[in-house]
Every structure is written in C-alpha cells, then in structure tokens.
Amino acid sequence: MSISVEDLAAQALDLPPEERAKLVERLIASFEPRSPSEVAWLTLAARRRDDVRAGKVAMVPVDDAIARVRARIA
C-alpha cells in the first residue's frame, strides 16, 4: 500500500526544521545526477564541516579571511 502525496506532505511538515531541510535536499538531489566534480566538492565540504565540528580547525571571521586573501594577491 502506498502513501498519498498529501499524507506524505502532512507527515513531512510535522518534522522539525532541520529534518525537513534534509528531506528537501534529498528530494532535490534526486532530480539531477551528480557529476564527479560535484561529488568531490561535496565530499570536501563535508570533511571540512566535520573538522570544524570536531574542533580540529578554527573558523576565521569573514573580514579576516578577506584581508588574508587580499594580502596574498596584492
């Protein structure tokens, strides 16, 4: 027995915001196959996110990051 779109939507809307966001990301991703470069970038982004969450690296304020980039290319 399958669930109707309306019932599924009602269940999805009862989820907490973070879980709804994950669901939306998965649904959108299901429409387009990922290219190898996109997979590589997503893998890198996930690894960097995990490093920040684990305290392995520190975040840099955006103004400092921009100043560093400008200093390197000047």
Side-chain angles (χ1 to χ4, degrees), residues 17-62:
E18 185 174 312
E19 294 298 309
R20 288 196 319 264
K22 288 178 186 178
L23 178 58
V24 167
E25 288 174 0
R26 290 184 67 182
L27 290 171
I28 291 170
S30 73
F31 286 102
E32 297 178 10
R34 296 210 166 138
S35 69
S37 60
E38 183 180 8
V39 170
W41 277 113
L42 291 172
T43 301
L44 176 63
R47 189 180 81 234
R48 288 182 177 178
R49 177 204 60 211
D50 293 343
D51 286 348
V52 169
R53 287 180 177 172
K56 293 180 182 177
V57 296
M59 299 294 290
V60 176
V62 69

